[in-house]
Amino acid sequence: MKYAHIIGWGHYLPKQILTNDEIASEVDTNHEWIFTRTGISSRRIADKSETAATLAFEAAARALTRANIHPSEVDLIIVATSTPEYIFPSTASQVQSYLGAENAGAFDLSAACSGFVYALDMATQAIGTGSVRNAIVIGAEVMSRVLDWKDRGTCILFGDGAGAVVLQGSSIPGGVLASTMHADGSGGNLLSLPAVYHNPIPALGEEFLSQNGTTKNTIDMQGRQVFRFASRVVPESIMEVAEKANWNLDEIDLVVPHQANVRIIESVSKKIGIPMSKFFMNVNHAGNTSAASIPIALCEAVDAGRLRPNDNVVFVGFGGGLTWSAAAVNWLVLPSEKQPRFLDHEWRRMRYVFARQRAKLRQWSRQIGARLAGSPTPDASLKDGKNKK
Ligand code: UT7
């Protein structure tokens, strides 16, 4: 089971579309500036009931349907996110419960916009050692909740969404062949998000934050410097991972980069000599969805027929940390071991409803058990996919 193959993929974008013109009605900017400087026209915004976990669940459910495997066959769930609703339980644990993936371990991974590629590497290594057969790797973000909507330097860039892949171990050569991971913490100040965002501690509040040097609990970015950093590390990463996979650059069929800015990718394309037509971009309608951007773009690339069996594809991420990371994947979707069953999709959705009810029953039985034992009643107040805001 040496090779980790992508056997399923799925993405979810919230329904609400926010256009450049709509942002321009709130802050001093305009569509022309945003579009020519970034390539972005619109982005999706999560509604109040949606969280990183609910978006991640939707993407994972679609990926499992495509992979045609049951949640109980999943051994590991990793969610790359910078916008979890809770520090713990992890977003991945919430997804595990929503899916009813009773045999899966689950954890979140924090590497900002490089998170998905980092997580893909972690899952690939776990499959390579034989400790895991099936893993779900998810990138999920609700960036709209961590933006200063008055800061035109950042609020125009980001959007919400989630993408997921199912990885499966196989002895057939192919799948994730090589990856690279890098970090430079000395550049952490160039792109940062303080940890007190969804649930600021009321007892500490604004006063505590201002005394401790910040009243901000939103993204802060030195755009020009991050732009320069990205234009330098993305070509380096592509070359490094191609070399590790034993590919010449002209053997790369498609690059799915982190979707931050079309101009960054144009500069990368020139530097490295890979034509723009080989870079898949969807930043125009999705904006920058941080850790979710690569798996969402991957799904759209597949839907657009941009990936054929045996194609060589490179994922390349970059962002806060600073971090950067790349993966070389031989796109060899293995035929499913099982045939999809009649009404498979509907059955799966019903199972997920049961999984949520079962999780609630477990919470109640814990409460009753605690009462009977005479211990203080734990407050089973974890919101089931409902954000406080
Ligand atoms: O996912 C994490 C990785 N993040 C990134 O990769 C982001 C990388 N950086 C960027 O994409 C670009 O730096 C930005 C899109 C954020 C900014 O583009 P830029 O071409 O670097 O603009 P700038 O910050 O150098 O600003 C140029 C001018 C300034 O005006 P002056 O000083 O020349 O008069 C800004 O005040 O544009 C002004 N400006 C705006 N004008 C209209 C900045 N933001 C806006 C805006 N609308 N939204």
Side-chain angles (χ1 to χ4, degrees), residues 13 42 73 97 120 135 161 180-181 210 279 292 295 309 318 348 353 389:
L13 292 173
S42 64
E73 296 173 84
S97 174
L120 193 74
T180 67
M181 287 187 288
S210 56
F279 288 86
F318 55 89
R348 282 174 185 272
V353 174
K389 284 192 172 183

Side-chain angles (χ1 to χ4, degrees), residues 137-289:
V137 180
I138 308 169
E141 304 282 12
V142 278
M143 300 304 288
S144 59
R145 305 236 167 94
V146 296
L147 292 174
D148 175 354
W149 284 98
K150 293 189 183 73
D151 175 11
R152 67 180 185 173
T154 50
C155 77
I156 56 149
L157 299 172
F158 294 94
D160 302 336
V165 298
V166 177
L167 282 180
Q168 185 168 76
S170 165
S171 54
I172 299 169
V176 184
L177 296 180
S179 28
T180 67
M181 287 187 288
H182 295 286
D184 175 5
S186 72
N189 61 318
L190 299 181
L191 183 46
S192 60
L193 172 62
V196 281
Y197 46 99
H198 280 300
N199 301 305
I201 304 159
L204 300 178
E206 290 288 308
E207 204 182 325
F208 169 84
L209 292 171
S210 56
Q211 279 166 12
N212 285 275
T214 176
T215 51
K216 259 180 83 100
N217 52 8
T218 50
I219 283 185
D220 190 68
M221 184 173 74
Q222 310 294 315
R224 276 187 208 180
Q225 293 204 56
V226 176
F227 191 110
R228 272 200 293 276
F229 147 76
S231 307
R232 176 175 58 82
V233 297
V234 174
E236 287 172 8
S237 298
I238 296 173
M239 286 192 281
E240 185 186 2
V241 85
E243 194 180 324
K244 269 187 150 182
N246 273 325
W247 296 345
N248 296 320
L249 289 186
D250 57 11
E251 288 177 287
I252 297 174
D253 298 294
L254 193 70
V255 181
V256 182
H258 168 49
Q259 307 284 317
N261 188 324
V262 171
R263 286 193 299 133
I264 293 176
I265 302 308
E266 283 168 352
S267 120
V268 169
S269 161
K270 262 192 209 134
K271 267 191 196 162
I272 197 168
I274 296 178
M276 266 310 273
S277 58
K278 283 197 176 182
F279 288 86
F280 186 83
M281 298 299 297
N282 71 350
V283 72
N284 179 280
H285 63 266
N288 178 344
T289 55

Side-chain angles (χ1 to χ4, degrees), residues 34-46:
I34 301 172
F35 184 70
T36 52
R37 299 279 178 138
T38 67
I40 299 169
S41 294
S42 64
R43 69 291 288 144
R44 300 297 182 100
I45 303 294

Side-chain angles (χ1 to χ4, degrees), residues 47-77:
D47 73 28
K48 280 186 183 155
S49 68
E50 290 175 314
T51 67
T54 65
L55 303 188
F57 159 74
E58 290 294 343
R62 287 162 169 77
L64 280 177
T65 302
R66 181 64 187 71
N68 195 22
I69 66 167
H70 190 271
S72 63
E73 296 173 84
V74 176
D75 306 305
L76 176 66
I77 301 170

